[in-house]
Amino acid sequence: MKITPPSSKPYPDFTALGAFWSEDSPRLLERALLSINDNSLLPLEIVLVQDGEVSPNLSTVIENYRGEVPLKLLRLPNNSGLGRALNLGMESVSTDFVIRFDADDFSLPFRFMTTMKALDAGYDLVGAQVLEVNEPKNPNTIRRVPLCTSGIQRLLPYRSPLNHMTVGFRTSAIKRIGGYPDIRQREDYGLWLRLIAAGSSVINIDEILVEASTGDNFMQRRGGYRNVIAEYKLRKLAVALRVQKLIPAVMIGTLRSILFLLPSAMRKYIYFWILRSRK
């Protein structure tokens, strides 16, 4: 299905921005891209960044898809991390608004229109609730986030107050703060810190707009020393931006780091049964 921009536009043009790398599933990437086509409001363009070398199967998905849509494909020669990939993509965005998508997630058909309605009302950053589609032996879960700016600010020192795969934002707001920080595995959380420190207007919509595929290695991605190092860099940024004071940053960073170093079974219990709600 070819994307044809509507003749009468209820909302401003926007860009769908995403990135993919060698570990992404060709099947899920194809599904993610096709879910963009099926939205009730379509992007003017899709900017997609290839983060390093990828398999022939992933390349085939892109080649089959790029003839159907206004796609800008950018390539990084080596895997550089999501933050650098998205910053590269932002350089090619030609619209005033951007809606993010992940290579393994499904955008519900009304997602873009719902997000653009909120952005067009004057907000700088808009997120939403997300349904996490877990491996068969685990129940599907919902990661709920606060709706208003004050609630987002209260949660910010403790946990990410937005679901990164659901957000849309003003291009100028992101460029004004220097884009995504170079903190691998915490790029999005770091972006929220920068935006809120700059006084940007931020909200979450009280609707599920994305179905996220957590995958079999969900717990592995959220454990280990790499996450501890990323947490240290994140708390250092929070203190530098004066979003968080030093002592609370050390205490919260330490508690979160302990969670990352717990055995996978314990971490899974905390994520699925304490930090999430059931579908």
Side-chain angles (χ1 to χ4, degrees):
M1 176 194 301
K2 290 183 179 294
I3 286 185
T4 304
S7 55
S8 120
K9 299 179 182 177
Y11 303 109
D13 289 330
F14 69 96
T15 298
L17 172 65
F20 70 105
W21 70 307
S22 60
E23 297 300 311
D24 283 317
S25 159
R27 178 183 64 83
L28 293 179
L29 175 59
E30 181 178 36
R31 189 188 69 152
L33 293 170
L34 291 176
S35 74
I36 295 174
N37 289 44
D38 292 335
N39 255 257
S40 57
L41 184 68
L42 300 175
L44 182 71
E45 62 185 5
I46 300 171
V47 174
L48 185 61
V49 183
Q50 178 181 311
D51 189 12
E53 294 295 324
V54 298
S55 69
N57 288 339
L58 281 168
S59 296
T60 298
V61 170
I62 301 303
E63 289 306 312
N64 290 341
Y65 187 73
R66 68 187 304 175
E68 299 294 319
V69 298
L71 176 69
K72 293 181 181 178
L73 179 63
L74 309 174
R75 292 185 175 91
L76 287 167
N78 301 303
N79 179 252
S80 302
L82 182 62
R84 291 183 180 181
L86 293 177
N87 283 336
L88 174 65
M90 286 294 297
E91 294 175 7
S92 294
V93 166
S94 64
T95 59
D96 292 335
F97 297 92
V98 171
I99 295 181
R100 280 271 290 111
F101 71 94
D102 271 356
D104 54 359
D105 296 334
F106 180 83
S107 296
L108 294 177
F110 50 86
R111 179 196 174 192
F112 294 157
M113 181 172 289
T114 304
T115 303
M116 283 306 303
K117 182 178 180 180
L119 286 170
D120 198 34
Y123 293 101
D124 295 315
L125 178 68
V126 174
Q129 315 306 312
V130 65
L131 174 67
E132 296 171 325
V133 181
N134 301 310
E135 53 190 292
K137 60 185 177 181
N138 292 314
N140 291 342
T141 49
I142 300 172
R143 187 176 188 272
R144 296 200 179 276
V145 285
L147 306 183
C148 63
T149 300
S150 60
I152 290 170
Q153 291 172 335
R154 285 194 298 270
L155 185 60
L156 183 67
Y158 305 98
R159 298 175 62 201
S160 174
L162 295 105
N163 292 313
H164 72 272
M165 70 290 289
T166 71
V167 301
F169 44 72
R170 291 180 182 272
T171 306
S172 59
I174 303 304
K175 291 185 175 180
R176 186 167 60 245
I177 60 169
Y180 287 82
D182 189 15
I183 305 176
R184 295 190 76 155
Q185 299 180 304
R186 297 292 185 280
E187 301 94 341
D188 295 291
Y189 199 159
L191 187 69
W192 319 151
L193 290 171
R194 284 183 171 180
L195 282 166
I196 290 175
S200 300
S201 54
V202 182
I203 64 162
N204 282 308
I205 297 167
D206 193 18
E207 294 184 54
I208 294 173
L209 298 184
V210 173
E211 294 180 0
S213 302
T214 59
D216 294 339
N217 61 347
F218 178 84
M219 285 301 111
Q220 284 74 17
R221 295 199 308 267
R222 282 155 179 76
Y225 286 101
R226 286 184 299 177
N227 278 280
V228 174
I229 294 170
E231 186 67 22
Y232 166 76
K233 293 179 179 179
L234 183 73
R235 296 300 149 187
K236 184 177 179 181
L237 176 63
V239 172
L241 292 172
R242 299 184 178 180
V243 173
Q244 194 171 32
K245 293 184 179 179
L246 178 60
I247 293 178
V250 171
M251 294 175 62
I252 293 168
T254 300
L255 288 173
R256 285 171 55 89
S257 295
I258 291 172
L259 175 61
F260 302 141
L261 297 177
L262 288 175
S264 181
M266 293 180 64
R267 195 163 57 248
K268 179 183 289 189
Y269 178 85
I270 292 172
Y271 271 100
F272 285 135
W273 300 106
I274 298 177
L275 299 179
R276 299 293 192 270
S277 59
R278 306 277 78 74
K279 169 60 176 173

